[in-house]
Amino acid sequence: MENCGFGWQNRVLDAALTASAQVASLPVVNLRNQQGAESLGWRILGTSAVLTLRLPSVGTWRAFSLHRSNLSASASLTVSVQSGSAVVWQGSAQGVANAQMILVSPTAVQGDSVTMQITDPANPDGYLSIPLAYAGPLWQPARNYSTESTAGIELGADSTTTLGGAEFVDGRWYQRKLSIAHQSYGYADAAVLAQILRVAATGQNILFLPDPASPPPRLAQTGLFGRLSGGDLSNPFGVADRHALTLTHTERL
């Protein structure tokens, strides 16, 4: 098990994006949107596509993910990181959970371009819808989060109760949320967290992985991509370099 990881430097937002296919009204540049609505995402007619990210210079990569998608259980994701014409790392993942797929390389790799090949031949819709994506580095604190952390859900529903007490519920949305408690951040960790929270305050989505070393199916089950906020940073252990902070993380819908 590894310490938890935060993906906050999303190169999807500043890299040059190209796609093997796209619907004219739902182009690949829609991946820069922060909303997870299908009507604002990248759509491909067919059941396979390739997304390419290019940087003007070499960058750091470790985590790659697709979120709020219509991918089926048979979908697969293959990622290649290149430096010039040389492939420096390649990996693949299968296993969709919570409408997302996540792939993490064992260590950070350096490259100036990334290709993400998505294949889903059994997709019943006959098209692929990818509203949100992450590709970039992963930051891990020196020590892991606390066992006091919790996971929950927020439900959106309209409920009507009759005079006889019968309830009719019209479900609207289902949103996962995390309370990430940490009681042992160091000074160096706190400095990075301040940067992460400043970015998150703009509305940018943050990727959180409880254990980046988990296999892809587990990553898809436990990872969360969405809005992040935090409380006050405290120093509960006096002069020791141990600081406490609880983060609230909600899935982006």
Side-chain angles (χ1 to χ4, degrees):
M1 180 175 181
E2 291 187 11
N3 289 356
C4 63
F6 293 85
W8 63 283
Q9 296 167 302
N10 192 357
R11 303 315 302 265
V12 171
L13 303 180
D14 64 351
L17 303 180
T18 56
S20 61
Q22 61 185 12
V23 173
S25 59
L26 295 170
V28 70
V29 292
N30 279 3
L31 291 176
R32 302 192 199 280
N33 293 334
Q34 299 300 319
Q35 288 72 38
E38 187 174 357
S39 60
L40 299 172
W42 168 41
R43 181 170 297 187
I44 307 98
L45 296 180
T47 57
S48 65
V50 177
L51 167 66
T52 302
L53 296 80
R54 290 187 174 87
L55 301 180
S57 58
V58 171
T60 301
W61 311 88
R62 192 175 177 209
F64 312 89
S65 58
L66 308 171
H67 305 274
R68 309 303 305 165
S69 72
N70 72 330
L71 297 175
S72 71
S74 63
S76 64
L77 171 66
T78 299
V79 175
S80 296
V81 180
Q82 292 181 266
S83 182
S85 59
V87 176
V88 295
W89 180 81
Q90 187 174 72
S92 60
Q94 281 190 306
V96 178
N98 300 309
Q100 61 186 13
M101 293 186 73
I102 303 173
L103 176 63
V104 177
S105 67
T107 59
V109 292
Q110 303 291 314
D112 55 16
S113 67
V114 167
T115 60
M116 302 173 67
Q117 181 173 353
I118 309 156
T119 306
D120 191 9
N123 192 299
D125 296 328
Y127 65 85
L128 304 181
S129 175
I130 314 290
L132 298 172
Y134 179 88
L138 199 64
W139 174 75
Q140 295 172 273
R143 290 169 290 275
N144 213 358
Y145 64 95
S146 169
T147 54
E148 293 182 0
S149 301
T150 61
I153 58 171
E154 293 282 353
L155 297 176
D158 295 330
S159 178
T160 302
T161 305
T162 68
L163 294 176
E167 292 182 300
F168 296 87
V169 179
D170 188 6
R172 300 296 184 186
W173 44 266
Y174 181 103
Q175 183 181 48
R176 295 180 300 137
K177 65 176 183 177
L178 299 174
S179 177
I180 308 166
H182 204 298
Q183 298 167 347
S184 194
Y185 286 123
Y187 289 119
D189 292 331
V192 178
L193 277 170
Q195 297 178 62
I196 294 174
L197 288 171
R198 183 177 291 274
V199 168
T202 68
Q204 182 174 316
N205 295 315
I206 307 296
L207 176 67
F208 176 73
L209 302 177
D211 178 12
S214 297
R218 181 66 176 164
L219 286 171
Q221 291 169 358
T222 60
L224 194 147
F225 189 61
R227 298 199 62 188
L228 184 74
S229 62
D232 294 336
L233 184 70
S234 64
N235 189 14
F237 304 110
V239 297
D241 185 16
R242 298 289 186 272
H243 305 277
L245 177 68
T246 297
L247 301 169
T248 300
H249 202 193
T250 55
E251 185 177 27
R252 197 61 176 260
L253 303 179

